[in-house]
Amino acid sequence: AALEGAGEPEWAGSADSPNAAKRAGPGLESFGGRVWVAGPAPAGLRLRVELGLEEGPEPVGTVAFAQRLAAAPRRWHVPPGGPQTVCVTLLPEAAGRPGAVKSFLSGLLAPVSGGGLGAALVGLRRAAWLERFAAEELWPGTGAGGCARGGAVWEERVEAAEAGPVLVALVRLEQGFTRVANLSRGESGTAWEGLRDLVTVSPDARAAYRQASALFDDCELFWPRDGPDALLPPLLDGTGALDAMAQEGEGPRPLLTVTLVRPEAVARAGLVLRYAARSGFAMAGARMLCPEAPLATSLKESQGSAVGWAGLAERPCLAVALRKECAIGTWLGVCGPADPAAARREAGPSLRVALGATSSAPAVAAPETFEAAEAALALLFPDGGLDCGEARAAWSEPDRDDDPSIVPVNRRKLEPKDGRKGLREVVLVVVTDEMMQEEGAGGVLEWLQADSFTFVGLRTARPSTDQAKNLASMLPQRNSASQLAAGTCLLVAIERNNALSRLQALLTTRGFRSSSSKIGVGGEEDVRTGLLWSETTAAASAAVAATFDALHGSMFHIRAAA
């Protein structure tokens, strides 16, 4: 089937011919550079010798198998949401039948639109016979495959597999164990119709690793880098596919991704954070910015054809770094399709639908591969400062005690751009680590946005003890210094007419209500909920100037003090 549409055959010996093809000499034909076929028998013999196919692949020894098992984790945990590696074996009754081999490979590798599973091929091996221990691994547990381990039926099947031949495929695909097991039922109308009981499928990650360790050498395996694996970190140098399976079995490490809330949706940043918290993401960092033209160009180029990364120059955006297992793929699912019509057809309400995204205004942008996520994080958070936890980061965290963006009082000052003092005011609200952990920041931002406050500055910070004491003089709530120094805070600069008096009125009359707290009603509740703010105009201006070096979309600017 691969030869169809490949064009006329070309004789071997061109500059792009494989080395083995050059040595094989005349008689080897290339179909479109995708398939090489040895025509005359002498050419076939020479090629088989060059590729080492005459004797067949050497079986894995018991010593190597035992060493691989010793390196495996004791407990296996592979998340159901990511790609899974499955070992599948076509048994001797079918491995010698060309039609069965075609159905076997087509069912695994053909695209979903063509009736297959669309799996990525990690390894493929035809073994003329198997060592006893390798054959036993094909039926790993009591009752597996319809026969009890050690019973007469089990012994008969193991002996048949020992005699061979078998065709073994190691494949990777999302929800792999379930999907391949369903295919192995051999139901009518499927690619594996008629192959029931002629195929064994590893039931879980531990069994897949044991079977792959017994049947393959690392040099015979290739770890894919496209498809679902493009959302995961690439293998480190020197790490083989078997090592990668063992590392994956230890459980996934958190990853970082980033979402860019575009200018048309910045006012509804609270909804974005609420969707993230509801989906199990932790906020690793946030930063409001107006990308200059070079940065906007670099962001667009780093993301390829991903939607939402164009048209950002000199416009206020909000970058939010998020941390979670399988973060990149999970967040893409939360955002939903970029096509509004497709997004609205989905069963669950996606973030883009909730934000009212259109084809010209997609509301949020997100990287679509691991490499794209690392590039965006490096561009949007060049100084690091993220709460990475155990997540793999593209940079080393700086060794520092102070947050360099927080300066002492009177180092900078807040001034109106036109030089005139009107009714507009800017106030700093701090969501402390306590509330970030318990409630999340999304509800606070939605509460402020609902009362017509405009976000002109927003970022995460980790004040040192001295910086926390300095800021506490402008945020007079009880124990504000200890709350600021307790961990990562979210600093929010808000603006509107009579902003300070309006904020105080909200806090003292209505308050902010969430699932388990109420802010601003009663003195003790300020400490419990962890929301801090200034109480005078002078303190509010000083707090904003001390924590931000620029505001975005504001009637004020921040300048160095004389």
Side-chain angles (χ1 to χ4, degrees):
L3 301 181
E4 294 178 2
E8 295 296 323
E10 301 171 0
W11 291 109
S14 62
D16 59 348
S17 301
N19 289 334
K22 292 179 181 179
R23 291 193 294 268
L28 190 68
E29 299 174 352
S30 165
F31 289 80
R34 296 185 297 171
V35 180
W36 293 80
V37 179
L45 176 61
R46 289 194 299 270
L47 186 59
R48 293 200 304 274
V49 171
E50 289 289 348
L51 297 178
L53 300 180
E54 282 298 282
E55 300 294 330
E58 289 292 326
V60 177
T62 55
V63 174
F65 180 61
Q67 291 174 340
R68 293 170 181 175
L69 295 188
R74 297 183 62 183
R75 294 183 178 181
W76 288 75
H77 172 60
V78 176
Q84 298 170 336
T85 309
V86 187
C87 193
V88 195
T89 304
L90 188 63
L91 297 175
E93 297 93 320
R97 291 163 27 201
V101 172
K102 176 183 177 181
S103 298
F104 175 74
L105 295 177
S106 297
L108 290 173
L109 307 179
V112 175
S113 60
L117 297 180
L121 186 64
V122 180
L124 182 68
R125 182 178 194 180
R126 183 185 188 278
W129 56 276
L130 294 179
E131 295 275 10
R132 170 74 184 193
F133 74 88
E136 290 180 354
E137 291 297 328
L138 300 181
W139 292 275
T142 301
C147 57
R149 186 178 182 89
V153 176
W154 180 85
E155 186 67 34
E156 179 181 346
R157 293 189 176 186
V158 169
E159 289 180 356
E162 277 188 277
V166 297
L167 183 64
V168 188
L170 195 66
V171 295
R172 254 175 97 72
L173 68 162
E174 292 179 306
Q175 300 177 345
F177 300 115
T178 300
R179 293 172 65 191
V180 179
N182 290 340
L183 184 64
S184 69
R185 296 172 184 170
E187 296 178 351
S188 176
T190 66
W192 282 6
E193 181 180 353
L195 294 184
R196 184 181 180 89
D197 297 329
L198 298 178
V199 176
T200 66
V201 180
S202 55
D204 51 40
R206 179 178 179 272
Y209 176 79
R210 291 180 66 98
Q211 291 177 17
S213 297
L215 297 166
F216 289 98
D217 282 323
D218 249 330
C219 63
E220 299 171 322
L221 303 176
F222 175 79
W223 201 252
R225 281 303 308 138
D226 53 4
D229 281 283
L231 305 176
L232 301 175
L235 299 185
L236 299 176
D237 291 342
T239 302
L242 294 175
D243 292 334
M245 292 177 67
Q247 292 174 9
E248 194 172 67
E250 295 173 352
R253 289 181 58 184
L255 299 177
L256 292 181
T257 189
V258 63
T259 189
L260 192 71
V261 185
R262 290 177 51 85
E264 60 268 19
V266 166
R268 304 191 66 190
L271 181 64
V272 177
L273 297 186
R274 182 155 59 85
Y275 264 67
R278 189 176 67 182
S279 303
F281 285 89
M283 186 166 67
R287 177 190 175 212
M288 194 171 182
L289 71 159
C290 285
E292 296 180 353
L295 175 59
T297 300
S298 297
L299 283 170
K300 185 178 184 301
E301 292 176 349
S302 71
Q303 302 305 306
S305 60
V307 173
W309 294 93
L312 302 174
E314 308 298 339
R315 302 177 67 195
C317 309
L318 176 63
V320 183
L322 300 170
R323 185 180 71 245
K324 191 184 189 306
E325 296 176 357
C326 304
I328 300 163
T330 304
W331 183 247
L332 286 172
V334 172
C335 292
D339 178 22
R344 288 174 175 81
R345 286 195 298 267
E346 290 198 341
S350 69
L351 177 58
R352 286 193 171 108
V353 170
L355 291 171
T358 65
S359 56
S360 59
V364 290
E368 297 182 351
T369 66
F370 179 83
E371 287 77 6
E374 287 208 321
L377 285 164
L379 289 169
L380 292 169
F381 297 92
D383 298 325
L386 299 180
D387 183 8
C388 298
E390 296 181 354
R392 173 174 169 178
W395 58 83
S396 299
E397 283 293 292
D399 184 15
R400 65 191 183 209
D401 295 325
D402 292 345
D403 186 318
S405 298
I406 300 176
V407 300
V409 180
N410 300 327
R411 182 75 62 84
R412 295 189 295 235
K413 61 181 180 179
L414 181 71
E415 293 181 344
K417 289 182 178 179
D418 59 6
R420 295 179 296 177
K421 294 183 178 180
L423 297 178
R424 302 289 287 187
E425 293 177 332
V426 182
V427 181
L428 177 70
V429 176
V430 181
V431 186
T432 61
D433 184 69
E434 177 186 0
M435 191 168 192
M436 295 270 284
Q437 297 294 330
E438 295 180 0
E439 302 289 346
V444 177
L445 298 187
E446 287 185 293
W447 172 67
L448 293 170
Q449 183 264 335
D451 211 69
S452 301
F453 284 96
T454 301
F455 303 126
V456 295
L458 192 151
R459 71 180 186 87
T460 49
R462 285 179 286 182
S464 66
T465 302
D466 291 340
Q467 289 176 328
K469 292 179 180 178
N470 177 45
L471 287 176
S473 64
M474 298 168 278
L475 306 168
Q477 285 74 39
R478 185 179 300 177
N479 296 333
S480 58
S482 60
Q483 293 186 77
L484 287 165
T488 300
C489 305
L490 182 65
L491 309 177
V492 187
I494 54 176
E495 180 177 330
R496 61 162 287 173
N497 288 345
N498 301 313
L500 183 58
S501 60
R502 183 58 185 166
L503 177 65
Q504 290 174 338
L506 288 175
L507 291 166
T508 56
T509 59
R510 189 175 67 188
F512 164 72
R513 290 170 175 82
S514 62
S515 58
S516 62
S517 65
K518 183 178 179 183
I519 299 173
V521 182
E524 292 300 320
E525 295 188 358
D526 296 338
V527 177
R528 178 170 65 83
T529 54
L531 192 69
L532 308 175
W533 66 95
S534 300
E535 294 185 348
T536 68
T537 302
S541 298
V544 171
T547 51
F548 289 93
D549 55 11
L551 300 178
H552 307 286
S554 172
M555 296 181 64
F556 295 81
H557 59 186
I558 295 173
R559 299 178 58 185

